[in-house]
Amino acid sequence: MLKVKTPKTAKARREVEKRAPKLVENRKKTLILQGTKTSNVLNAVLTEIHHLKKESSIRYTRKNENIRPFESGGETSLEFFSLKTDCSLFVFGSHAKKRPHNLVIGRTYDHHIYDLVEVGVENFKTMESFSYEKKLAPRVGSKPFFAFIGEGFQNVEELKHLKEVLLDLFRGEVVENLNLAGVDRVYVCTAVSSTRVFFTHCALRLKKSGTVVPRMELVEVGPSMDFVVRRHRLPNDGLRKEAMKTVTEQPKKKVKNVSGDVIQGKIGKIYIPDQQVGDMALSHKAKGLKRERREAKANNEANEHGSKKKKADSE
Amino acid sequence: MEVEMEAQKYQVDLGNLMALDPHHPFPSSLSNRKSLQVMEVEMKAQKYQVDLGNLMALDPHHPFPSSLSNSCKGFLAIQNPCERLHIYFLREELVKQCLQKGSELVQEIADALFNLPSTEDPDGPLVRLPPLTTRLPREKHVRYSFFSLCDSAFLPKPKPPTKWEMFAQKKGIKNRKKDKVLYDEQTGTWKRRHGYDRVNDDKDVPIIEAKMTDEPGEDPFVKRQAEKRKRVEKQEKSRLQNLKQAAKVGALPSHVQLAATALPITGTQSAPKKVSKDELENVAGMAATATASGGKFDKKLPGEKPAKHVGKYRKFLPVAEGTGMGSLEKQQTDKVLNKLISKHSHEILNVDKAVTMFNVKREKRKNQQGKSSSTSSKLKPQKKPLKNSSKKGSFKKGSSKKGSFKKGQSK
């Protein structure tokens, strides 16, 4: 049996349209959640990642019993959460004896797991532990720079994968135009060994250099930590090929209220709503304008008329 | 060793860039010479991989700082305070180096970024970023938009023609614009073609003229309504069919979802029916009677109705004779008696049926006797002492009575 499900209200329809697959996609959202057991370190890591991605992440704080992303059957509820929250990136924290301070970063494609990287967190330093001029603090939602240092990011499979995932996780909005005044943060990742990556978040201080290009100075603002790569799972080739499809040109947006021809040139239509004189705020409160007074006056007049009429009758 | 390597890098850098030491505190001193700078950028671009769209730079030639990798081991685990201090300093060193290298890379990105043509804006200079070079996977599959006719590879999938559209094309039927408002002769006013208060509304038809083909006893108004309902249902069915066809090709509008309401139970064709409100109420009522009081003194839930009495109430007619109700009892018994006593009372009996029944019974009894004669020789002596008992006797009496009764019936 099939049933046609359509949104009943316009708002619901807009919501559904927002989540629908598009030619040019919106920004990826991140779901941050944890397993049954976490450590203090992991809790801090998860909240700080959430803070870093404040405007595009969802933090689940309850324990999740049956999420084991690497095992078959353990991804079901994760995929459901991905569908429910419309998130295509997830960061899953768990802490066990075998894998302490474990962080699984993964992506989904069509709400099915696309790839996974598992890293252990070591030497974690919180944002609070760094002291710097508050003026330098990066603003929420600013577009970050990335610096990947080390040959591991090109030679070692795991690190190559981790680089791509980290880039996807932290890159923020994909923009066409960038305001150069708003450049204020950088993520520095260094491959220390073939399994270890030192990750830190820095603010940018732009200093005058006498040329167009300012001199960049990094100020560590945290969080900083070491990622020790544990397990990872790459997507299979078919899925990767499907997911890597790109659109070369963006669809043209319909231009509204602009018209023109050879003689008149470009003409724009502007809508100006009616001027609401009655609702205008007055600079001072005049007593005569009070409603009670106006009504009282009107009543008085009416009464006078009445009394006059009565008088006329009596005469 | 590490220092050596760094020194080497410096030299190489110097050689390549002809003047610049990347760790020099004031690299700007050289950048006045623009041609040099451009060259330097080109050189560096070879050295680093820069993805300006993502504002990302990668230095693929930097080796692992092997001596420092020790510093990464959690220094809390080490007991010796001296060693701890040592590792702490190593760590500091590592961070410092990373930041230095990082700032080099960032400078690299900035060099490329700030040299892009910019437009002035009250908030700051705006720069148009080049397309991304690092390809990242999509979030969802490509949806074929009906408005984008740009890329031939992403042409929209056309919606398959509906059954009507196919028929119309075959017959050459074309859409004509119709007026929204029509003159209604029933009411003598202008009314909408469709929707509320429309032309030829069922509510406005007071008289339907009889036709020769009309069947007697049929309400033409009801018939009209039923026909309308049927047409609506048919349209809904074909709409669903067309949507299914569109879904097969993948050309369904994004806000429409085709959802399975309920899957049929394996082995059956149809989906399980949804339980109606009445049925649920009945079940609830039945469950409510499963108490000692038959649900009589149970607390009712809000909105719950008292249970319906399912069975018949037994009625007794008054025994005292009288008129009206009083005489009913007499009439009832009279009726039965008359049937039995009347002249044609034998007609109540179906003689044929009785005869066949009698014959069948007799044959059965014969068969039983035949069987018992062969098999029950052992049982017989056991039966004998029982014969004397009063119970057996009474049983026999009963059976004989039964037999006689049947015989009587068969007469």
Side-chain angles (χ1 to χ4, degrees):
Chain A
M1 282 294 283
L2 275 181
K3 192 182 149 195
V4 182
K5 264 170 80 181
T6 45
K8 295 286 175 289
T9 60
K11 193 180 177 186
R13 189 190 167 107
R14 280 196 297 274
E15 255 348 276
V16 169
E17 292 277 1
K18 260 185 223 168
R19 287 172 170 226
K22 292 180 197 83
L23 213 58
V24 178
E25 294 189 318
N26 9 342
R27 182 180 180 180
K28 284 181 179 182
K29 285 205 293 180
T30 312
L31 180 64
I32 300 172
L33 71 176
Q34 69 229 15
T36 41
K37 213 181 141 199
T38 50
S39 56
N40 273 344
V41 170
L42 262 190
N43 281 339
V45 169
L46 292 177
T47 27
E48 302 225 325
I49 291 176
H50 180 53
H51 283 317
L52 287 180
K53 299 183 51 68
K54 195 94 198 181
E55 69 283 19
S56 71
S57 80
I58 292 167
R59 174 91 172 96
Y60 274 11
T61 48
R62 278 200 200 166
K63 290 174 180 175
N64 293 292
E65 239 175 71
N66 38 15
I67 296 184
R68 282 177 189 80
F70 278 94
E71 290 166 26
S72 65
E75 74 278 357
T76 330
S77 66
L78 194 62
E79 282 170 0
F80 170 70
F81 289 146
S82 153
L83 178 70
K84 195 181 166 195
T85 57
D86 193 31
C87 287
S88 59
L89 279 160
F90 64 87
V91 179
F92 174 73
S94 64
H95 181 65
K97 197 176 175 187
K98 194 175 176 186
R99 295 193 184 87
H101 313 301
N102 204 35
L103 212 60
V104 181
I105 310 171
R107 293 181 281 185
T108 61
Y109 176 70
D110 269 346
H111 304 300
H112 290 289
I113 285 182
Y114 176 75
D115 62 352
L116 296 165
V117 189
E118 191 177 51
V119 288
V121 177
E122 280 176 24
N123 298 330
F124 176 65
K125 277 171 97 181
T126 57
M127 282 190 216
E128 286 86 45
S129 63
F130 292 91
S131 54
Y132 54 92
E133 281 177 69
K134 284 295 163 225
K135 205 172 68 183
L136 283 174
R139 274 156 291 181
V140 173
S142 67
K143 181 93 177 153
F145 280 47
F146 285 91
F148 288 97
I149 307 158
E151 55 192 6
F153 285 121
Q154 200 163 42
N155 306 333
V156 185
E157 181 87 329
E158 287 107 39
L159 294 190
K160 219 168 140 186
H161 188 193
L162 181 67
K163 176 188 144 223
E164 199 185 309
V165 172
L166 284 179
L167 180 64
D168 211 353
L169 183 65
F170 288 111
R171 69 170 169 171
E173 194 96 49
V174 179
V175 288
E176 262 195 2
N177 294 318
L178 183 74
N179 188 349
L180 292 181
V183 164
D184 62 357
R185 63 167 83 191
V186 58
Y187 292 103
V188 181
C189 306
T190 317
V192 183
S193 69
S194 62
T195 55
R196 187 179 286 270
V197 172
F198 169 64
F199 171 89
T200 186
H201 176 219
C202 300
L204 276 176
R205 185 187 276 159
L206 308 186
K207 289 206 160 180
K208 278 174 192 163
S209 67
T211 53
V212 191
V213 185
R215 194 160 62 79
M216 299 296 195
E217 216 177 80
L218 304 194
V219 180
E220 215 178 354
V221 294
S224 88
M225 59 195 118
D226 279 5
F227 289 140
V228 182
V229 180
R230 285 175 182 153
R231 290 180 285 182
H232 81 131
R233 195 169 81 196
L234 284 167
N236 55 1
D237 286 340
L239 188 63
R240 183 203 290 275
K241 207 175 166 189
E242 165 108 22
M244 285 294 182
K245 275 183 185 171
T246 47
V247 185
T248 47
E249 262 179 73
Q250 289 189 1
K252 277 174 206 158
K253 208 173 179 187
K254 193 180 158 194
V255 182
K256 279 181 177 176
N257 298 326
V258 176
S259 63
D261 53 38
V262 187
I263 303 160
Q264 289 176 314
K266 198 173 178 184
I267 294 172
K269 251 191 264 172
I270 300 171
Y271 168 73
I272 298 172
D274 286 345
Q275 199 176 1
Q276 303 285 330
V277 182
D279 298 342
M280 225 152 64
L282 291 170
S283 57
H284 70 287
K285 285 176 187 168
K287 270 191 177 176
L289 289 170
K290 279 193 175 172
R291 200 174 63 168
E292 305 97 73
R293 286 193 177 245
R294 274 207 313 274
E295 279 169 3
K297 202 179 169 188
N299 282 341
N300 276 341
E301 273 175 13
N303 283 344
E304 273 176 24
H305 275 288
S307 58
K308 270 179 187 173
K309 264 187 184 175
K310 268 182 190 172
K311 270 183 187 173
D313 283 349
S314 64
E315 278 173 5
Chain B
M1 184 189 141
E2 174 212 327
V3 174
E4 263 178 34
M5 257 160 54
E6 277 212 358
Q8 245 183 13
K9 207 179 65 195
Y10 277 26
Q11 278 172 5
V12 170
D13 276 4
L14 280 168
N16 269 347
L17 312 178
M18 288 144 70
L20 185 74
D21 172 4
H23 303 298
H24 197 276
F26 305 107
S28 55
S29 60
L30 266 176
S31 50
N32 291 340
R33 278 178 273 175
K34 203 131 199 204
S35 60
L36 252 184
Q37 200 193 16
V38 170
M39 263 183 72
E40 162 198 318
V41 167
E42 276 174 8
M43 292 293 219
K44 271 198 166 178
Q46 280 174 5
K47 199 174 142 207
Y48 303 135
Q49 293 174 5
V50 179
D51 176 7
L52 209 50
N54 278 324
L55 300 179
M56 185 198 77
L58 167 69
D59 177 5
H61 304 301
H62 193 81
F64 299 127
S66 52
S67 65
L68 292 178
S69 59
N70 283 333
S71 66
C72 300
K73 281 167 194 159
F75 65 90
L76 292 172
I78 296 156
Q79 295 293 323
N80 188 356
C82 196
E83 209 172 326
R84 265 174 82 163
L85 200 67
H86 176 65
I87 284 188
Y88 178 77
F89 279 122
L90 271 180
R91 176 94 189 159
E92 289 281 281
E93 181 79 359
L94 170 80
V95 172
K96 222 171 125 188
Q97 257 194 35
C98 287
L99 289 194
Q100 206 175 29
K101 192 75 199 166
S103 61
E104 231 175 274
L105 282 168
V106 169
Q107 191 66 47
E108 188 63 35
I109 304 167
D111 278 350
L113 189 68
F114 281 81
N115 282 323
L116 286 173
S118 65
T119 52
E120 273 307 319
D121 196 77
D123 298 330
L126 281 185
V127 157
R128 199 180 171 80
L129 291 178
L132 316 178
T133 51
T134 315
R135 289 176 75 193
L136 293 171
R138 297 176 65 83
E139 178 182 26
K140 282 156 197 163
H141 63 265
V142 180
R143 201 186 148 70
Y144 298 94
S145 162
F146 283 89
F147 305 110
S148 68
L149 300 161
C150 43
D151 197 342
S152 61
F154 292 99
L155 272 178
K157 281 190 182 172
K159 220 162 72 179
T162 62
K163 227 173 180 181
W164 160 251
E165 277 167 357
M166 287 219 278
F167 177 75
Q169 203 191 16
K170 206 172 97 187
K171 291 279 180 186
I173 301 169
K174 272 174 193 164
N175 267 347
R176 274 184 288 114
K177 288 268 179 195
K178 288 177 194 166
D179 289 336
K180 270 192 174 178
V181 187
L182 285 180
Y183 186 74
D184 188 17
E185 281 172 11
Q186 300 272 358
T187 51
T189 48
W190 288 87
K191 285 190 166 185
R192 294 189 198 92
R193 185 186 288 275
H194 301 291
Y196 173 73
D197 194 21
R198 70 194 190 104
V199 166
N200 257 339
D201 201 349
D202 278 348
K203 281 174 199 161
D204 293 339
V205 181
I207 297 160
I208 298 173
E209 273 184 37
K211 277 178 269 176
M212 290 304 284
T213 51
D214 279 352
E215 275 181 40
E218 200 180 42
D219 189 347
F221 291 97
V222 173
K223 194 182 164 194
R224 205 179 142 102
Q225 248 178 3
E227 271 169 7
K228 164 88 183 170
R229 203 176 300 131
K230 237 183 227 170
R231 267 177 286 147
V232 169
E233 270 166 19
K234 184 173 166 274
Q235 175 53 32
E236 184 60 26
K237 227 170 143 186
S238 45
R239 174 173 160 261
L240 194 66
Q241 192 59 35
N242 289 329
L243 278 175
K244 261 198 239 174
Q245 287 296 328
K248 246 185 211 169
V249 191
L252 210 62
S254 63
H255 65 273
V256 175
Q257 282 180 310
L258 287 181
T261 47
L263 293 170
I265 295 165
T266 44
T268 59
Q269 279 288 310
S270 59
K273 216 181 92 193
K274 207 181 165 194
V275 189
S276 70
K277 194 181 162 193
D278 279 348
E279 280 167 328
L280 276 177
E281 272 176 358
N282 281 345
V283 172
M286 262 189 253
T289 56
T291 55
S293 65
K296 195 175 180 185
F297 301 110
D298 287 357
K299 249 187 197 168
K300 291 275 180 293
L301 290 170
E304 192 184 344
K305 284 170 204 160
K308 269 182 214 162
H309 192 277
V310 186
K312 280 179 189 167
Y313 285 103
R314 218 173 140 193
K315 277 178 191 160
F316 297 101
L317 293 168
V319 191
E321 256 188 82
T323 54
M325 277 291 275
S327 65
L328 272 180
E329 210 266 342
K330 200 185 166 192
Q331 279 176 19
Q332 214 175 36
T333 36
D334 275 354
K335 211 176 163 186
V336 177
L337 273 176
N338 281 336
K339 242 184 194 173
L340 292 173
I341 303 168
S342 63
K343 216 165 52 176
H344 306 287
S345 66
H346 64 271
E347 279 178 9
I348 302 166
L349 203 70
N350 190 347
V351 181
D352 291 339
K353 200 179 175 183
V355 167
T356 46
M357 264 175 83
F358 177 74
N359 288 339
V360 168
K361 284 257 164 77
R362 199 173 54 183
E363 269 180 32
K364 259 190 187 172
R365 205 174 293 154
K366 260 186 188 173
N367 284 346
Q368 270 185 358
Q369 275 175 2
K371 269 183 190 173
S372 65
S373 63
S374 62
T375 55
S376 64
S377 55
K378 279 176 193 171
L379 295 171
K380 260 179 185 172
Q382 276 182 343
K383 265 185 185 174
K384 264 175 192 170
L386 282 171
K387 253 185 185 174
N388 296 337
S389 71
S390 61
K391 213 180 175 182
K392 181 73 192 176
S394 71
F395 177 67
K396 216 183 173 185
K397 254 185 192 173
S399 70
S400 67
K401 255 186 188 172
K402 230 180 178 178
S404 67
F405 176 69
K406 272 171 192 163
K407 273 174 198 167
Q409 222 178 17
S410 66
K411 272 175 193 175

